[in-house]
Amino acid sequence: MSRHSIFLSLFLSALVFLGAGCFGGGDIDTSTDGGVWKSLDAGVTWTQSVAVPSSAGVDSAAGANVLTLAADPSDRMALYAGLERDGLLFSYDGAAGWQRPGDAALKTGAVTAVAVDPSQKCRIYAARAERIFRSEDCNRFYEDEIYVETKPGVIVTAFVVDWFVPENVYAAFSDGTVLKSADRGDHWTSVFRGRQAVTSLIVSHANSRVLLAGMAGAGMARSADAGATWETILDPLR
């Protein structure tokens, strides 16, 4: 990878929204305790990238706790950041500046997972706690929830799109469940239930039928058939 490629990192602060210029307050927060950080020299040096221009002036997400960061697989300049309390931010200029979605549904709450359809860059999936939303118009509008988890206290922890068959999407949950949709989120089927929260979900870059689910406590499960069957390849509870 080129030294001048864009590298992004999450810096999760112990305290959220510190300082006088908290996100949403209208003032620039010059603290360096959170938000998104950017490097242009392969990680040697880092600077915050937290400016959020609006009609009221330039706001700042410098004190925000970022829960998830996603890149558009077809456009390296398009980035998405899910915040702990203030919804979703997106950037179309490599994190030089950030925008908020037009839809009120993604302007508040904890956005825990984001994924972009590799075949259609304007199709974005975003999970806000127990709800999954889908936009078909590059963040202008998010459809009413395409999925709502009804079990109390259970939230979406990860979301991935199959790069080879983008109709296939997968959502992981804090109760150890993985759901699959074969029609971009219109209908869902449970394909996996672990004993621990699923904290990460990966589609293999070599074969999109191969999935890896990482679980709390260092557990891991693998599917070689697009989620139809699973095997536990690492189980710390055994």
Side-chain angles (χ1 to χ4, degrees), residues 96-145:
W98 296 88
Q99 303 176 56
R100 306 195 75 188
D103 199 310
L106 271 297
K107 288 185 177 180
T108 60
V111 172
T112 54
V114 183
V116 182
D117 188 327
S119 68
Q120 172 52 266
K121 64 181 297 181
C122 276
R123 181 178 296 117
I124 302 110
Y125 302 89
R128 192 190 70 197
E130 75 281 5
R131 302 170 186 272
I132 300 174
F133 299 84
R134 181 181 61 204
S135 174
E136 298 283 354
D137 57 6
C138 288
N139 294 293
R140 294 178 182 85
F141 175 74
Y142 278 84
E143 296 182 31
D144 291 339
E145 301 96 333

Side-chain angles (χ1 to χ4, degrees), residues 2-7 38-47 94:
S2 169
R3 285 179 60 86
H4 296 288
S5 296
I6 293 176
F7 288 78
K38 175 179 177 179
S39 175
L40 294 177
D41 54 13
V44 176
T45 60
W46 295 85
T47 57

Side-chain angles (χ1 to χ4, degrees), residues 114-120 123-126 132-136 146-147 156 158-173 177-192 201-203 208 211 226-228 230:
V114 183
V116 182
D117 188 327
S119 68
Q120 172 52 266
R123 181 178 296 117
I124 302 110
Y125 302 89
I132 300 174
F133 299 84
R134 181 181 61 204
S135 174
E136 298 283 354
I146 59 173
Y147 183 82
V156 182
F159 194 100
V160 293
V161 181
D162 184 330
W163 54 266
F164 188 69
V165 185
E167 292 83 3
N168 292 339
V169 296
Y170 303 85
F173 293 80
T177 302
V178 175
L179 301 184
K180 176 182 178 179
S181 171
D183 53 14
R184 296 188 170 96
D186 289 337
H187 303 88
W188 296 87
T189 303
S190 178
V191 294
F192 177 75
L201 198 58
I202 298 172
V203 176
S208 75
L211 304 170
W230 295 77

Side-chain angles (χ1 to χ4, degrees), residues 17-34:
F17 302 114
L18 298 176
C22 300
F23 185 61
D27 298 322
I28 293 180
D29 184 351
T30 58
S31 65
T32 56
D33 57 354

Side-chain angles (χ1 to χ4, degrees), residues 163 202-212 222-227 230:
W163 54 266
I202 298 172
V203 176
S204 169
H205 290 290
N207 180 355
S208 75
R209 291 175 58 81
V210 176
L211 304 170
L212 290 175
R222 179 180 184 272
S223 174
D225 50 16
W230 295 77

